[in-house]
Amino acid sequence: MSAFSEAALEKKLSELSNSQQSVQTLSLWLIHHRKHSKTIVGVWFNELKKAQVSRKLTFLYLANDVIQNSKRKGPEFTQDFAPVIVDAFKHVSREGEEGCKKQLGRVLSIWQERAVYENNLLDQLSQVLHGEKKAKKRSYEAIQLDDEDFASQSSPAEAPQTAELIRALQELENAASGDSALRQRISSLPAEVQDASLLHRITDKESGDRLSRLVEEACMLLADYSGRLAAEIDDRRQLTRTLTLFLHSQKDSLAQNEQKLEEYKRKLARVTQVRKELRSRLNNLPGGLYNPSN
């Protein structure tokens, strides 16, 4: 990927379009350069305020994509967006196109259900969109709906697109649980970094410094892997809900198509009967036998 600079970021943001491909491509570039997350968020916020009215919501879509997809790598973006995200919501809600509050509400709902931020921040975002009326963040149990729950909903959630489902499945192909190389590194950690009772073996500063480096490396390794596993668990929970929605949409489509099939079978039977009776009538008219090729 191209090198990072503020100028390069400003140019990419100026070229950002509302297409899913454009948002995802820039999101991947930003996540790749996550060590510059503070600078990225600062430039993003400044460019958001300068963006044309029709493009402001797209900046929030970009932030959403970065925040959610970067958590596998680390918490940098989630933390660095936090101080400005409320002001960003206010700005887009006030200065963006008419109707953008509904789209912001969809983003907020996802963040609430996935606990992307603490309740306090989520409540602030809710107040931006709904005034003093706070939208309560549902617990995981509340949103872990089974098949019967979905079937009984008066306003079922929008069925996921096939492309969205494929993308979610593809992302899990590289999930943390499948990283055998990293698991091997963890299993190869020396016993000294995992058992405090062995610290008595440290008898000189050199060996102590060496073990200290190993412990720090082990902490970073395990923290990173634990974070990736937690993100994977969240992704798999979301995929379970998405698959349930997809299954119900397919069942609904199947039922509708079966009804249509029966309807068209009946129409075919009626048309076939008309054709049969028409041929019989034509055969009885003066002029000879009916020839369907005429």
Side-chain angles (χ1 to χ4, degrees):
M1 289 189 177
S2 58
F4 176 82
S5 70
E6 289 190 31
L9 174 56
E10 289 173 356
K11 183 174 185 297
K12 288 181 179 293
L13 287 171
S14 70
E15 298 171 346
L16 178 66
S17 73
N18 195 38
S19 71
Q20 184 178 22
Q21 181 179 358
S22 178
V23 171
Q24 290 176 356
T25 299
L26 183 50
S27 175
L28 288 172
W29 186 81
L30 295 177
I31 294 171
H32 178 73
H33 293 292
R34 64 188 180 281
K35 66 180 180 180
H36 302 289
S37 59
K38 289 185 182 297
T39 300
I40 288 172
V41 171
V43 173
W44 171 87
F45 190 44
N46 289 334
E47 294 301 308
L48 164 66
K49 290 184 287 188
K50 294 188 293 184
Q52 296 177 350
V53 171
S54 61
R55 300 181 63 244
K56 291 185 183 295
L57 187 60
T58 305
F59 276 67
L60 260 298
Y61 287 156
L62 175 64
N64 173 57
D65 199 275
V66 170
I67 289 170
Q68 294 205 65
N69 291 316
S70 66
K71 60 188 177 183
R72 299 180 184 85
K73 305 289 186 179
E76 299 95 339
F77 278 110
T78 304
Q79 294 172 355
D80 292 336
F81 268 109
V84 303
I85 201 64
V86 173
D87 287 337
F89 262 62
K90 287 180 180 177
H91 177 78
V92 176
S93 177
R94 183 177 61 250
E95 305 292 339
E97 290 183 310
E98 184 179 356
C100 69
K101 276 191 176 183
K102 180 180 179 180
Q103 305 306 320
L104 290 175
R106 293 181 65 182
V107 173
L108 176 57
S109 295
I110 293 172
W111 290 1
Q112 289 171 328
E113 294 186 357
R114 300 184 184 182
V116 172
Y117 284 111
E118 296 295 327
N119 287 354
N120 180 52
L121 182 54
L122 293 172
D123 286 344
Q124 291 181 56
L125 295 174
S126 181
Q127 288 180 42
V128 170
L129 300 180
H130 310 295
E132 291 301 316
K133 181 181 178 180
K134 297 181 180 181
K136 295 181 179 179
K137 181 176 79 68
R138 294 179 291 166
S139 64
Y140 172 67
E141 289 76 11
I143 61 175
Q144 183 69 0
L145 302 173
D146 57 22
D147 287 354
E148 293 182 0
D149 292 326
F150 274 110
S152 63
Q153 289 183 34
S154 58
S155 300
E158 182 180 351
Q161 297 296 315
T162 304
E164 176 188 347
L165 190 58
I166 292 174
R167 180 189 174 195
L169 291 168
Q170 288 175 335
E171 287 178 348
L172 285 175
E173 290 181 359
N174 299 317
S177 60
D179 194 340
S180 57
L182 184 53
R183 291 203 308 274
Q184 179 61 37
R185 287 180 61 191
I186 293 173
S187 64
S188 300
L189 290 172
E192 289 82 359
V193 305
Q194 307 176 62
D195 190 349
S197 66
L198 300 179
L199 292 178
H200 69 276
R201 297 179 181 178
I202 304 299
T203 57
D204 57 79
K205 189 175 186 305
E206 182 181 352
S207 60
D209 288 343
R210 184 170 60 253
L211 180 59
S212 179
R213 289 193 295 271
L214 287 173
V215 169
E216 288 298 322
E217 180 183 345
C219 283
M220 292 179 63
L221 190 65
L222 289 167
D224 177 70
Y225 192 56
S226 296
R228 290 176 59 198
L229 279 174
E232 179 185 341
I233 289 171
D234 184 61
D235 288 344
R236 290 189 183 278
R237 285 172 176 167
Q238 178 61 25
L239 178 59
T240 299
R241 295 192 288 271
T242 302
L243 285 169
T244 303
L245 281 170
F246 186 77
L247 177 60
H248 275 284
S249 71
Q250 292 304 305
K251 286 181 178 179
D252 289 343
S253 296
L254 176 61
Q256 292 173 10
N257 287 337
E258 287 176 340
Q259 291 177 356
K260 289 179 180 178
L261 176 60
E262 292 303 316
E263 178 185 346
Y264 287 118
K265 280 183 176 179
R266 290 192 294 269
K267 287 184 177 181
L268 175 60
R270 289 196 297 269
V271 172
T272 301
Q273 182 63 29
V274 169
R275 183 180 64 177
K276 179 180 178 182
E277 294 182 8
L278 177 60
R279 287 178 176 176
S280 176
R281 182 174 180 79
L282 291 175
N283 284 332
N284 292 327
L285 291 175
L289 294 176
Y290 168 67
N291 185 351
S293 63
N294 288 341

